[in-house]
Amino acid sequence: MDKKTILLMVISVLILLIMLWFVGIDKVISALKVANLSLIGLAIVTQVFTYFLYTLRWQILNKIADMDVSIKKLLPMVLVGLAINNITPSGRGGGEPVRAYLLYRDNKEYTFDETLATVVADRALDTFPFVILAAITIASMALFFDFDVWLLVVMVLSVIVILTILIVLIYMCINPVFGERVDNWIIGLVRRFYKKNSEDLENKIHNAIVGFQGTMRMLISNKKGLVYTITLSFIIWIFEIIRVYLVFLAFGANVNLIIVGEVFIVACLVGMIPLLPGGLGAVDGLMILFYSAAGVSTSVSAAATVIERLISFWMATILGMVILPYYGSSVLDKISFSSSPDEIEEAIENETDD
């Protein structure tokens, strides 16, 4: 992690501590003491099972793209990707190119364009049910919750932006003419901001987009695979909500499962806004605020939120960072969204020479 990321993480944790101080740290500690450890353990098991479901969905997409990789190999990559998502303020997208790179590096017979396409498809399939659930949630909460108009506007705009990006990605793959326009637009930006020796970079971008489109079209055309993966995506979100519900049950909170799901979806929406790593601080505060508004005592809301975030945020982050050195963190530091397949291959060669 660079200094900026560490600073943002520290700021996020300080925001959470300040919120807990206002709630009353002694009250939160008292609530933690009476928590049902068996239910918390079940919530942890639910989260681990969710990691498996994430990996299974990605494996299915890889098989559709003629990339046969075992769950045993994919699971550590998923955890590293989740960890990178959590520590970078990139709208929960910082870990995706890293995940694609790890799959490319571990299986040299595949190109980076192919692995990136399956990762983007995986992210799109995760986003599709989320957009539907977010739209339903915002409509429901606008009716039953009393919150400021600006917050409603931010949530609606966030859903629109996410949906727009999703539609553009899919449409550019099924419509070659539109894909060519996107290609030309990106190359136009390169020519504007990258004056020196831009021709080579333009060719790399064009080849990457063409390769990406081909793999994505293969994924989209497999209707049976899409049905499996979309269904699996909805199941994953259901298990995510169940995990949160189990945590609140552990504290004896009498809260409706639908309310838990609605607040969780809104919190995830805020977490996708690239402000702080993983939405840390902002997400926690919002969860405490809305669960309290739903009738759960502030101390229980705060205690349950702390445990929930330890399970959903910190467990994946710690596991992923522990696994990361296995792949060579020094090389991953060189990889970014702008890295081309050639640059990645050069990084691998340099690592081998070292």
Side-chain angles (χ1 to χ4, degrees), residues 252-274:
N254 185 20
V255 59
N256 190 290
L257 178 61
I258 295 176
I259 296 295
V260 170
E262 289 179 340
V263 175
F264 176 71
I265 293 296
V266 171
C268 289
L269 188 60
V270 172
M272 289 184 176
I273 301 173

Side-chain angles (χ1 to χ4, degrees), residues 8 13 31 41 53 56-58 60 70-71 82 89 120 151 163 180 196 216 250 272 292 296 303 318 332 337 348 353:
L8 288 172
V13 173
L53 294 179
L56 178 61
R57 182 179 62 198
W58 191 25
I60 293 172
S70 67
I71 287 181
L82 290 172
V120 172
L151 182 57
L163 184 60
E180 187 177 346
K196 196 174 182 180
M216 283 293 288
M272 289 184 176
S292 299
V296 182
I318 293 170
L332 292 180
F337 285 106
I348 296 170
D353 293 340

Side-chain angles (χ1 to χ4, degrees), residues 1 79-80 83-84 87 316-326:
M1 290 187 289
L79 291 172
V80 169
I84 302 298
I87 66 173
T317 303
I318 293 170
L319 287 173
M321 297 310 290
V322 167
I323 294 170
L324 183 58
Y326 169 78

Side-chain angles (χ1 to χ4, degrees), residues 16 37 41 45 59 74 96 109 113 130 150 173 192 232 247 255 263 319 322-323 349 353:
L16 176 59
L37 296 180
V45 171
Q59 185 193 42
L74 292 177
E96 311 311 339
E109 65 269 29
D113 303 326
F130 172 75
W150 69 267
C173 294
R192 181 178 298 180
L232 191 55
V247 172
V255 59
V263 175
L319 287 173
V322 167
I323 294 170
E349 289 174 357
D353 293 340

